[in-house]
Every structure is written in C-alpha cells, then in structure tokens.
C-alpha cells in the first residue's frame, strides 16, 4: 500500500493503474476506521481493480460547537487496517493540499436535498462535505466512489453533485453495518459511556417499531414520525427529528405508497446519533 500526502504523490501512485486501464474505486473517510468503513473498502475491492482510501478530517463540515478537536485520530491503526484489507493507495492530504487558498476559496453547495434533516441543525455540514468530496473526486478521478447508507442524506447529496458536476464516477452504496444489538456502527459510539451504550440500541428498535406499526395500522407519514419520536423517547434518548421521506432522493411524501425511508437523529447524553430505515415496496 502506498501512502500519498499530496497531489503529485497521488498521481505517481495512480499513474500505473491508469496506464493499465484498471478500474479505481475511492472510499472517502475521515479516519477513525471501524467495521462500517471496512465494509466500504471490501465493497470497493469487489467492484474495482484498485482501491484508494482517502483520510482527511474535514474541518469545514464541523460547526464550532461540534467535535472536530476530539474527533478520533488513529492514523497508524487506520493504516494497518487498510493494509490488511488490501487497499492500494491511502491518500492522506493535509489542510494546505485540500485548501491551498483557504477554506472558503472554492465551495460547492448542493441545494434541496441538503435542506431539513441533518441540514436543519447542521447548516454548514453539507457544503463542507460536498466541497471536500468534489475535491477528492477531481483529484483521484475514480471510476467509482463508495458511500454508506448510514449517512443517507450525504449519500443523496453526493449523487446529486456527481450528476450535476458531470463527474464520470459511479456512486456505489453500501448497507448500514450494525452491532449485534442493532446499533448502527459509528465513530461517535466511542463517546458513549457504558450506561449509554446499553441504552443506544433502543434507537434502532424504535425505528423498527414505528415502521412495523406503519404497516400494521396503515399509518400516514406524520403518524409514523410521531410513533418513532415517542418510541425513541421511551427508549431513553432525546429525539431531535424523525422524518419519513421518499427513499432514494429524499423528496417529501404525503403517503406511504412506494419506497420510503425513516430518518432520525437522537441525543444520548452529549452524543448525537443518526440512523435510518428503508421500508415500503421497492420499485
Ligand atoms: O462520511 C464521511 O466520513 C465524510 O463526511 C466524508 C464523506 C469523508 C467527507 O469528509
């Protein structure tokens, strides 16, 4: 595995693969790698000849009040895991590589799909993500980029920017990886105390209950959201939002005819968790 820290080293590492006509997959990460990331790398391995993993803790997607300073930075352990998983290139750019003219010099804003849900409480977040993902796609020029469904709105945002900026990159999506008790794997789970960790699986259970009730009682979307919020609170978390949207593009819905996704954010102590569950008929 080669490690590239800047554009020139990246191009040196990738040139032989490009010359050979290899299909290259990019897995963008912020490090702190866990089983969810490794599922992305494994998928990349399956669908491409060469795997590039980027590791950049993007300051522009954190608000001042968020956990940028505390975000897990485990570079050596990450490198070992990526090596063991058969990664070809680790791209670990510094701030000056990503923002040579400062953080705001060039930004990419994606509208509509970034409104509401995560965008409501984190207005800076998707512009930060879209800007960095655009730079990574431009720098690596992968045939495919791999994203997880855990950050569902991010996945939809990336699809939107790829199609609107005419990138010749396919977007490959990977299902949420869960712990045995159902908790979605996340870097932020590391912040939970033992007591909170015992409560946390109730979040996903609440979403499952809401979706099951929707089917049994032919509920309207608002009723499903209400059940989800109530169940999340009963499980011992504070529900920030629970919303039903159309699966795939997150358009608002007024009924449950067709593929849907229930998306939610909840707080447990000082930790904010997100999760989602797709349901309804798949076209
Ligand atoms: O999902 C993440 O880890 C980040 O949002 C991403 C896509 C690497 C952009 O910084």
């Amino acid at each position: 595995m080669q490690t590239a820290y800047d554009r020139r080293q990246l191009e040196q590492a990738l040139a032989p693969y490009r010359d050979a006509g290899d299909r290259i997959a990019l897995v963008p990460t912020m490090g702190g790698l866990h089983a969810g990331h490794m599922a992305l790398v494994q998928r990349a391995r399956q669908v491409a000849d060469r795997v590039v993993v980027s590791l950049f803790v993007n300051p522009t997607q954190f608000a001042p009040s968020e956990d940028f300073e505390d975000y897990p930075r485990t570079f050596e352990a990450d490198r070992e895991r990526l090596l063991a998983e058969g990664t070809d290139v680790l791209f670990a750019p510094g701030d000056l590589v990503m923002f040579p003219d400062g953080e705001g010099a060039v930004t990419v804003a994606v509208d509509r799909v970034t409104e509401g849900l995560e965008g409501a409480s984190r207005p800076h977040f998707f512009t930060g993500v879209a800007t960095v993902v655009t730079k990574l796609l431009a720098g690596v020029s992968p045939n495919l980029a791999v994203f997880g469904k855990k950050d569902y709105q991010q996945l939809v945002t990336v699809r939107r920017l790829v199609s609107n900026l005419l990138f010749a990159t396919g977007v490959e999506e990977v299902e949420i990886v869960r712990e045995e008790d159902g908790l979605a794997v996340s870097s932020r789970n590391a912040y939970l105390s033992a007591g909170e960790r015992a409560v946390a699986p109730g979040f996903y259970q609440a979403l499952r209950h809401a979706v099951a009730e929707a089917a049994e009682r032919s509920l309207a979307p608002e009723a499903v959201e209400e059940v989800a919020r109530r169940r999340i609170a009963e499980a011992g978390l504070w529900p920030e939002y629970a919303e039903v949207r159309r699966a795939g593009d997150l358009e608002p819905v007024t009924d449950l005819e067709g593929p849907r996704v229930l998306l939610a954010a909840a707080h447990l102590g000082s930790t904010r968790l997100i999760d989602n569950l797709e349901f309804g008929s798949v076209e």
Side-chain angles (χ1 to χ4, degrees), residues 28-30 37 56 58 61 71 125 129 132-133 147 151 154:
T29 81
M30 298 206 298
H37 296 110
F56 178 64
N58 171 19
Q61 68 187 74
Y71 200 82
F125 176 71
V129 169
V132 157
V133 169
F147 289 86
D151 294 294
Q154 169 173 282

Side-chain angles (χ1 to χ4, degrees), residues 212-281:
E213 271 192 52
E216 275 164 29
R217 296 169 46 205
S218 306
L219 298 178
E222 303 78 48
V224 181
E225 293 165 355
E226 162 60 28
V227 173
R229 280 195 297 271
R230 182 168 43 79
R231 292 273 190 173
I232 291 168
E234 283 168 4
L237 300 96
W238 180 74
E240 181 183 309
Y241 67 78
E243 270 190 54
V244 177
R245 298 279 188 100
R246 189 160 74 189
D249 61 8
L250 292 179
E251 284 294 317
V253 293
T254 53
D255 60 44
L256 297 188
E257 306 298 312
R260 299 289 181 256
V261 56
L262 172 60
L263 307 107
H267 295 251
L268 187 47
S270 55
T271 307
R272 183 175 183 276
L273 302 173
I274 60 169
D275 203 347
N276 65 78
L277 182 56
E278 288 179 314
F279 65 103
S281 55

Side-chain angles (χ1 to χ4, degrees), residues 6 11 44 65 86 97 99 103 105 110 123 125 187 192 250 253 276:
D6 61 27
E11 209 33 62
S65 59
V97 174
F99 305 112
E103 287 180 5
V110 179
F125 176 71
S187 311
L192 300 172
L250 292 179
V253 293
N276 65 78

Side-chain angles (χ1 to χ4, degrees), residues 26 69 125 206:
L26 169 68
E69 296 300 336
F125 176 71

